[in-house]
Amino acid sequence: MTGEFKRDQNYLPDRITADGRDGWPVAAGRYRLVIARACPWANRAAIVRRLLGLEDALSLGLCGPTHDERSWTFDLDPGGRDPVLGIERLQEAFFRRDPEYPRGITVPAIVDVPTGQVVTNDFKQMTLDFSGEWRKFHREGAPELYPEPLRDEIDDVAEKVFRDVNNGVYKAGFATTQEAYEEAYRALFARLDWLSERLATQRYLVGDTITEADVRLFTTLVRFDSVYHGHFKCNRQKLTELPVLWAYARDLFQTPGFGDTIDFGQIKEHYYVVHRSLNPTGIVPLGPDPSGWLTAHGREELGGRPFGDGTPPGPPPAGERVPSLAG
């Protein structure tokens, strides 16, 4: 369709595996996960790393909320350099892997610290491998986010959510024709209605515990009112006007490992500053008030066990804490 936003989904395909079959064996301390708090795709990796307790095995590099046409940058770090990789731009790690790397420089990316090369930026596979291939380094009580008996259903729900919601907000926001925008808008809200119906009678998307599917939906919902409702013209309703999804999102936000990865200031700064085609002034809105995320949600009445037979993760490491909404 003319004017339709099409995401480049070609990523570095290497995987870090327990048996090292791609040449990248799982090893504690060898790799660095590079994210930006602003990015929903990177947010997935941050949440799964927290839930599984991989902090000691896989270090975290944090890019700032804005970037230019070249690359994400480490402007939050002293001197503007990542303290482990010693680079100013994530682009440098991609170029060490391939000096002619032709695609976008994306987060999340996992970098091999000894060589300084990016191993993978395949965000979909990355979190599944955290669950499966990195099992040796899971914390005691780590949840099963991708349990074998539910994988087909998780994959099915996650694909619908990706097409119509995760990527759907971008298809609406970056459409360049009215027809393309309206198609994306209708698909988005049809899927949100479908999700509302599904979640009206069950606490989580698949089964009675948190799974990969919930992680993938949450990172879009948590950005919805701050960014997608206005900036991307996804404005049939705000999340706060969708009772089931608003309660579901608050339930997850208040679950350790979810809300403690969210920095609303960085999220808004990224979208409103970087997307000058949509917001030429670069003015970042002050609202909405995020305090509602801490209000009671009542989802416990639906039952469910957030971590199954596991336990919640402990608090984030000191250097990875985000601003608290509680003040």
Side-chain angles (χ1 to χ4, degrees):
M1 177 188 298
T2 302
E4 181 182 8
F5 169 74
K6 294 185 178 180
R7 181 176 300 280
D8 181 357
Q9 296 188 58
N10 292 298
Y11 302 101
L12 292 168
D14 289 7
R15 293 172 59 190
I16 299 169
T17 58
D19 62 6
R21 57 187 177 272
D22 285 358
W24 307 103
V26 168
R30 175 171 174 176
Y31 305 100
R32 189 159 176 80
L33 172 64
V34 177
I35 68 164
R37 294 286 188 201
C39 173
W41 320 106
N43 197 176
R44 296 181 179 186
I47 291 170
V48 172
R49 174 178 172 270
R50 283 273 296 121
L51 295 178
L52 298 179
L54 292 173
E55 292 97 333
D56 290 339
L58 180 64
S59 68
L60 187 70
L62 291 168
C63 295
T66 63
H67 60 76
D68 57 22
E69 67 280 356
R70 290 171 57 196
S71 176
W72 293 90
T73 56
F74 294 98
D75 46 287
L76 300 177
D77 291 307
R81 288 184 179 274
D82 180 89
V84 172
L85 301 174
I87 58 178
E88 295 179 335
R89 292 177 172 273
L90 182 57
Q91 183 184 55
E92 296 173 55
F94 279 82
F95 285 172
R96 286 181 186 173
R97 170 69 182 267
D98 177 2
E100 304 298 326
Y101 185 75
R103 301 188 181 280
I105 308 300
T106 64
V107 289
I110 299 181
V111 180
D112 178 49
V113 174
T115 63
Q117 300 179 45
V118 168
V119 177
T120 181
N121 61 337
D122 185 347
F123 65 87
K124 287 187 178 182
Q125 187 61 48
M126 189 182 295
T127 51
L128 300 182
D129 284 344
F130 286 171
S131 284
E133 303 295 333
W134 287 76
R135 190 172 294 273
K136 177 181 177 182
F137 297 107
H138 288 185
R139 65 180 175 86
E140 185 177 352
E144 288 283 349
L145 299 178
Y146 196 50
E148 187 84 41
L150 298 178
R151 286 184 183 179
D152 287 347
E153 188 176 0
I154 291 170
D155 290 346
D156 179 63
V157 171
E159 183 53 39
K160 289 181 171 70
V161 167
F162 173 79
R163 183 186 65 233
D164 298 329
V165 181
N166 301 144
N167 200 42
V169 293
Y170 285 85
K171 289 194 287 187
F174 288 116
T176 57
T177 65
Q178 188 72 29
E179 181 185 14
Y181 161 71
E182 290 185 9
E183 181 173 291
Y185 174 102
R186 292 191 178 98
L188 165 65
F189 282 99
R191 185 61 62 198
L192 291 179
D193 290 342
W194 179 84
L195 289 163
S196 289
E197 184 176 351
R198 184 183 185 95
L199 289 164
T201 55
Q202 61 189 66
R203 191 171 178 186
Y204 303 110
L205 279 173
V206 181
D208 67 348
T209 66
I210 291 167
T211 67
E212 177 80 19
D214 298 294
V215 175
R216 296 187 179 199
L217 177 58
F218 172 78
T219 60
T220 296
L221 295 183
V222 78
R223 289 162 172 77
F224 201 88
D225 287 4
S226 293
V227 177
Y228 304 139
H229 177 269
H231 189 57
F232 280 179
K233 305 181 185 70
C234 299
N235 59 358
R236 191 191 79 179
Q237 287 143 307
K238 297 176 182 176
L239 177 65
T240 54
E241 296 166 346
L242 297 167
V244 171
L245 289 179
W246 174 223
Y248 165 80
R250 297 201 315 280
D251 186 6
L252 290 177
F253 187 92
Q254 294 168 32
T255 299
F258 284 84
D260 55 32
T261 70
I262 301 301
D263 187 319
F264 285 110
Q266 289 197 30
I267 288 169
K268 290 191 294 184
E269 185 177 354
H270 169 71
Y271 284 92
Y272 287 100
V273 171
V274 171
H275 299 160
R276 290 302 177 105
S277 64
L278 303 181
N279 187 41
T281 64
I283 293 173
V284 179
L286 293 177
D289 179 359
S291 61
W293 284 96
L294 300 180
T295 60
H297 52 76
R299 297 282 293 179
E300 304 94 336
E301 297 176 4
L302 294 173
R305 302 174 301 147
F307 299 98
D309 294 329
T311 57
E320 298 180 13
R321 292 174 187 162
V322 300
S324 171
L325 299 187

